[in-house]
Amino acid sequence: MRLTAGMCPALTQDVIEKLRECNIKNILDFMKTDPEVLAMKASISYRDLCSIRRVIIAHSAAFVVRGEDLLKEAITATKVIPTGTAELDRVLGGGVLTGEVVELCGGWGVGKSSLCVTLATHAALRLGLSVLYIDPLNSISALRFTPIIEKLSEDAGTVEEALSRIKVESPADVWGLLKALDLVQQPYLSFGRFNTGGCSRFNSNNPSGKIKLVILDSLASILTPLFIGSTKQELGMINQLAAALKSLACEQEVAIVVVNNVVQADYGKRRKRNDVYDEWKPALGRFWESVPHTRLFIQRLPNSIRQHTKKLPTSHAQNMQDSMTVNISVWKSTRLKRTVSMKAQNPEVNISRSSDEMRRVLVPCLLSVP
Amino acid sequence: MSKTPTTKPLLGGLGCHIPPADLIQLDPHLLPGGPQPGEVIELTGGSNCGKSSLAQHLIATALLPHTWRGIKTGGCGAVVMLVDCDLHFSILQLENRMQKRIKQCLRLGKDALKKRKLGQQAEENVIVDEEELRKLLHSDKGSIKNEIISLVKQCLQSLSYLRCTNSTQYAITLLSLEEYMMEQNGVSLLVIDSLSAYSWYDRVYRAKSWAKLKDYYNGIFTTVMTCIKKYSVVLIATKGILFSKKFLEDDYRDKSRLQTDLKEDGEMKDPEEDMEGVSERELFGNVWASNVTHRIILSLQHNPAGNVIGQNEDSFSERNDTSSVSNVTPGSKDTNANKSLNSTTSCSDRYLYAAEVTVNLNKSKLMYAIHEEGIRWQNK
């Protein structure tokens, strides 16, 4: 951000000295001043100043893209990644879209992580896509993936190949997370024995091995340790992270799925006037509310609680028989129609509503065996 | 192609200055008489209130032509520049909405033609050239569809898109507007979505205090305003709320409640606690605040569960029965042409939003819902 000699032929050390005398030390100060005024004040030629400005703009400002070019690019680049569950696909209007950030929020134990695992395996196995699974809590392992894959396909070689397409990262903090996100920018990734370029039929979707789906489970676990101390610091960090996620999704054409928790929306006597959430609202604060493109709220149906707490046998195969019914509603979306969020204390309301407002999704519930 | 009164800038880039198209037709409900060049419209509201949708709707209106194939499409035929900081913009969605709007206009035109044939009086002069319209309607569905697609593609040629992915890029882009305007030629509408996308980053990592942040923004917006006035551009900017507790009713309208609200918060430690008396309005500096001519506050008014959000002082809070609310055709204030719209859609299952417009101390309130083709204003 500092003005350095050599950035532009017109920007000599001499010129930099003159600018410093006029109190212009970095690029922003330079751009804020009118070149005509500056030319007179610092006795630098107007033409030189304009050419320096042009270099700065070319380097740091946004590129202009024509609407029609943007459209052409969007038509070819945007891909829909089906989630593997038909009902969820219907809620999302086909699946997760590349270039979008989808947030899954819900209470503890509703199945957000299970849903992420299903999503990742479906993408890796059925669609042949490379997946980056960011798991700061270190809560998943190959054990968690294998049962789903084995259920979907029988071939052991296929299982290994699919697992090789899922890259798991476990960053310990935000900066580790930002570094892990850099992996998405690599154009060609090969991990595992089965490199792309082979004649496997699964690779037709993704010939270069570039990551197409990023799953972050969960964001709250990375950011909550930062919440002590100054609130402003954490907001600055959330802002930076949000910008990084969204720009990554746009520029690298990946779909990003983020997991978040929910907190109580009611403050007792201080009900905010504009509050649109009845009982629960997404964690991470108000700034984060406007960040994702789509926000899905997952809620377990009351009548399935009994199933969930049932003592389960230890083998994986039998675990697969149990499934949990959840409701997934759209809390916010830039493109989907918003559905009403449900009040959890009235189970009758849940059941009596028509099915096009609430989607019942069957999620295979995996309890990992320690 | 079509007999539009405004010509597209054919000589763009050759240094000829094309006068920007006027935006009178931009939105007769929200901005009667259209915004004048140099005016600044600020759209503020909580999250998910339709700010970006409204901005996108206005972009679509600005890009569409005045007339097309004999029907009034209600657009301005203008050149638009969009600075996207929120990264929520979807060109596919814009294209889709524009196509649906044109189809809607075609439907209205068809109905009007039918009425004319039957000798009835056409309720509104939707039809500009009957012959052309008839010719279009007689062709088969496939070719009509292709015509619509190519119209939208042509309109999108007048859209310039700038994507800002970090705070520095955002600042430098805004400071280089002069160069962009010179290159683009004839821009009449500049849309920034949204201003507050990097505000927390700027506050925490650039400016060490709210006062310094104000200075920082003042520096940027001085340049922006000079540029806008010089090139006769209308600026529409969306702005999210940063301070949740004292927004809207508390802050914009009644400053005396500022102090009491600060003490009552029980949840996580608020950034407002050490705000040093900065209000939401002054956040972006006095250069921005003083240059805004139209301040529009958006909020959610009604959700389909039948709950009215917010106990507002107006009669809107008592209006639980939405069957009396009818749809209004975008771009026209006539209610007769809207009857066809009302028969096809019911609005009781839509989220209803309110837009409160303040221009020169005159306030007015409008309601709207978001449909597939964009925004539809509701009759009171």
Side-chain angles (χ1 to χ4, degrees):
Chain A
M1 279 265 293
R2 265 203 340 236
L3 289 165
T4 43
M7 251 172 63
C8 166
L11 193 59
T12 58
Q13 195 59 36
D14 192 37
V15 169
I16 292 185
E17 285 305 322
K18 285 192 196 160
L19 289 174
R20 206 165 286 170
E21 280 165 29
C22 300
N23 214 9
I24 292 185
K25 296 183 199 102
N26 56 32
I27 295 181
L28 275 176
D29 294 335
F30 181 81
M31 294 299 286
K32 275 186 207 173
T33 352
D34 185 22
E36 285 177 8
V37 166
L38 193 56
M40 281 191 294
K41 219 164 97 172
S43 56
I44 309 174
S45 88
Y46 179 72
R47 236 182 48 177
D48 282 349
L49 288 176
C50 282
S51 68
I52 299 174
R53 269 183 79 98
R54 272 199 296 273
V55 167
I56 293 179
I57 292 174
H59 188 71
S60 309
F63 286 130
V64 180
V65 183
R66 291 248 166 238
E68 37 171 339
D69 297 331
L70 191 66
L71 182 66
K72 262 187 239 162
E73 193 194 313
I75 290 177
T76 48
T78 312
K79 302 250 183 302
V80 179
I81 302 179
T83 55
T85 317
E87 276 291 337
L88 184 55
D89 283 344
R90 195 143 22 108
V91 174
L92 286 170
V96 183
L97 230 58
T98 56
E100 277 197 353
V101 176
V102 177
E103 180 186 327
L104 300 174
C105 53
W108 288 265
V110 295
K112 305 190 292 288
S113 295
S114 305
L115 196 57
C116 289
V117 166
T118 317
L119 194 59
T121 44
H122 183 83
L125 190 67
R126 287 270 178 264
L127 308 171
L129 301 175
S130 303
V131 179
L132 174 64
Y133 199 108
I134 302 179
D135 178 34
L137 293 169
N138 262 311
S139 63
I140 62 155
S141 64
L143 277 177
R144 195 136 179 200
F145 284 105
T146 326
I148 303 187
I149 296 181
E150 274 170 355
K151 198 183 179 199
L152 296 173
S153 152
E154 307 79 25
D155 183 5
T158 323
V159 172
E160 202 174 336
E161 194 182 340
L163 280 181
S164 74
R165 280 193 216 109
I166 304 178
K167 178 134 183 76
V168 180
E169 286 286 324
S170 300
D173 52 25
V174 188
W175 297 274
L177 169 63
L178 289 171
K179 199 162 148 217
L181 289 174
D182 277 341
L183 274 176
V184 184
Q185 293 181 356
Q186 291 176 21
Y188 179 81
L189 270 168
S190 62
F191 23 87
R193 284 199 337 240
F194 297 98
N195 286 342
T196 55
C199 51
S200 165
R201 62 188 164 95
F202 291 137
N203 285 330
S204 55
N205 266 338
N206 191 22
S208 66
K210 188 166 168 10
I211 291 180
K212 277 289 170 199
L213 175 64
V214 176
I215 298 182
L216 175 47
D217 176 16
S218 67
L219 187 61
S221 61
I222 278 208
L223 286 176
T224 323
L226 289 178
F227 281 13
I228 46 167
S230 156
T231 339
K232 281 201 281 293
Q233 287 290 333
E234 109 223 0
L235 281 163
M237 186 37 84
I238 291 183
N239 194 341
Q240 193 176 0
L241 198 56
L245 286 174
K246 282 191 285 187
S247 63
L248 194 71
C250 278
E251 291 177 345
Q252 301 295 326
E253 289 145 23
V254 293
I256 299 188
V257 177
V258 175
V259 171
N260 193 11
N261 292 325
V262 285
V263 291
Q264 277 191 316
D266 194 356
Y267 307 120
K269 60 178 173 77
R270 283 267 352 242
R271 283 297 295 268
K272 296 207 287 277
R273 285 206 219 158
N274 286 335
D275 217 358
V276 302
Y277 297 109
D278 288 321
E279 197 192 351
W280 300 106
K281 63 169 192 172
L284 296 178
R286 197 160 264 244
F287 181 78
W288 176 258
E289 264 180 46
S290 9
V291 169
H293 290 88
T294 301
R295 175 176 282 118
L296 300 177
F297 175 54
I298 306 180
Q299 200 174 32
R300 209 189 302 134
L301 280 185
N303 54 6
S304 67
I305 292 176
R306 243 179 296 126
Q307 276 182 336
H308 189 70
T309 55
K310 196 165 64 175
K311 213 61 165 98
L312 291 162
T314 50
S315 74
H316 287 284
Q318 275 191 286
N319 276 349
M320 288 303 304
Q321 303 305 321
D322 294 314
S323 55
M324 196 164 67
T325 324
V326 295
N327 267 310
I328 298 190
S329 53
V330 178
W331 260 356
K332 167 203 195 280
S333 179
T334 53
R335 62 181 173 96
L336 302 167
K337 198 171 153 189
R338 194 158 143 183
T339 54
V340 183
S341 70
M342 300 151 294
K343 289 191 209 280
Q345 59 263 46
N346 294 351
E348 304 82 37
V349 175
N350 285 337
I351 296 167
S352 61
R353 277 207 201 273
S354 65
S355 58
D356 38 41
E357 279 197 350
M358 301 185 311
R359 307 287 177 204
R360 301 230 165 110
V361 179
L362 281 174
V363 174
C365 166
L366 287 188
L367 298 180
S368 56
V369 177
Chain B
M1 173 201 77
S2 54
K3 305 185 184 102
T4 55
T6 50
T7 51
K8 298 273 190 282
L10 303 162
L11 303 170
L14 289 181
C16 308
H17 178 64
I18 317 274
D22 66 75
L23 293 172
I24 296 176
Q25 289 293 319
L26 193 61
D27 202 316
H29 301 281
L30 192 66
L31 309 156
Q36 298 305 311
E39 289 193 338
V40 178
I41 300 162
E42 179 193 82
L43 304 173
T44 332
S47 96
N48 210 13
C49 275
K51 304 185 292 292
S52 300
S53 290
L54 183 53
Q56 201 190 66
H57 177 87
L58 294 172
I59 294 178
T61 316
L63 289 174
L64 286 172
H66 283 283
T67 60
W68 176 71
R69 284 281 193 267
I71 33 165
K72 245 209 245 177
T73 36
C76 311
V79 181
V80 180
M81 185 177 286
L82 168 64
V83 177
D84 189 14
C85 314
D86 245 0
L87 305 180
H88 281 172
F89 177 71
S90 161
I91 185 87
L92 295 170
Q93 194 181 42
L94 177 66
E95 188 213 12
N96 200 16
R97 283 185 173 169
M98 284 170 77
Q99 284 178 354
K100 290 213 159 85
R101 271 172 77 165
I102 299 175
K103 283 192 196 145
Q104 189 189 67
C105 292
L106 262 184
R107 242 179 292 141
L108 286 175
K110 203 163 154 188
D111 289 341
L113 255 188
K114 253 189 243 170
K115 289 228 160 100
R116 265 196 203 179
K117 241 191 197 164
L118 298 172
Q120 289 173 12
Q121 193 172 33
E123 51 280 300
E124 186 206 322
N125 49 343
V126 164
I127 302 179
V128 165
D129 185 346
E130 211 172 300
E131 270 314 303
E132 274 242 36
L133 179 59
R134 240 185 261 276
K135 232 191 319 173
L136 175 70
L137 290 173
H138 278 304
S139 39
D140 62 287
K141 281 213 161 128
S143 66
I144 295 183
K145 199 169 163 199
N146 287 337
E147 294 259 351
I148 296 180
I149 292 178
S150 64
L151 169 68
V152 173
K153 278 218 176 87
Q154 180 152 17
C155 292
L156 288 178
Q157 281 175 4
S158 320
L159 173 68
S160 306
Y161 176 76
L162 288 88
R163 177 186 290 153
C164 296
T165 52
N166 57 56
S167 170
T168 313
Q169 197 177 40
Y170 163 64
I172 305 234
T173 305
L174 284 185
L175 291 171
S176 333
L177 276 179
E178 172 92 34
E179 273 86 354
Y180 285 125
M181 293 296 171
M182 275 203 296
E183 200 190 304
Q184 292 312 308
N185 230 328
V187 176
S188 19
L189 179 63
L190 171 66
V191 180
I192 302 181
D193 179 19
S194 69
L195 283 185
S196 57
Y198 299 107
S199 301
W200 282 118
Y201 180 93
D202 290 336
R203 168 64 183 86
V204 175
Y205 298 113
R206 269 188 221 287
K208 301 305 175 198
S209 69
W210 293 110
K212 292 220 180 94
L213 185 71
K214 273 201 259 185
D215 290 337
Y216 172 73
Y217 280 132
N218 277 344
I220 296 182
F221 288 124
T222 325
T223 324
V224 172
M225 294 305 166
T226 339
C227 186
I228 285 173
K229 306 270 193 294
K230 179 169 165 190
Y231 288 93
S232 317
V233 175
V234 173
L235 169 61
I236 296 181
T238 56
K239 198 165 76 116
I241 336 167
L242 258 56
F243 305 138
S244 50
K245 299 291 189 296
K246 45 186 59 54
F247 178 63
L248 293 179
E249 293 88 306
D250 303 327
D251 179 24
Y252 271 73
R253 299 173 205 148
D254 185 10
K255 287 207 166 181
S256 58
R257 296 180 56 174
L258 212 85
Q259 292 310 313
T260 48
D261 285 348
L262 266 176
K263 298 190 183 104
E264 284 182 30
D265 295 324
E267 64 156 359
M268 86 180 185
K269 205 167 88 170
D270 280 308
E272 296 99 83
E273 274 184 24
D274 37 2
M275 251 176 52
E276 298 134 34
V278 178
S279 66
E280 182 85 32
R281 192 183 219 174
E282 299 159 15
L283 187 67
F284 286 92
N286 51 320
V287 172
W288 173 259
S290 52
N291 272 295
V292 171
T293 49
H294 296 68
R295 189 167 274 117
I296 304 176
I297 302 175
L298 308 175
S299 53
L300 179 65
Q301 202 67 37
H302 174 95
N303 74 27
N307 308 326
V308 176
I309 312 289
Q311 276 77 49
N312 285 327
E313 57 281 2
D314 330 278
S315 57
F316 292 113
S317 56
E318 276 102 55
R319 191 185 296 284
N320 278 327
D321 163 40
T322 47
S323 54
S324 56
V325 177
S326 52
N327 285 317
V328 174
T329 322
S332 82
K333 280 198 111 118
D334 278 339
T335 43
N336 285 331
N338 303 321
K339 280 194 190 137
S340 56
L341 278 178
N342 290 329
S343 53
T344 47
T345 57
S346 75
C347 34
S348 54
D349 57 350
R350 295 264 171 188
Y351 278 83
L352 214 56
Y353 301 92
E356 198 180 300
V357 188
T358 312
V359 186
N360 295 333
L361 303 173
N362 295 330
K363 287 195 192 181
S364 58
K365 193 157 180 171
L366 298 163
M367 308 265 272
Y368 65 95
I370 302 182
H371 286 248
E372 287 81 20
E373 77 279 349
I375 305 272
R376 274 197 213 163
W377 300 103
Q378 312 281 347
N379 262 340
K380 290 201 185 145

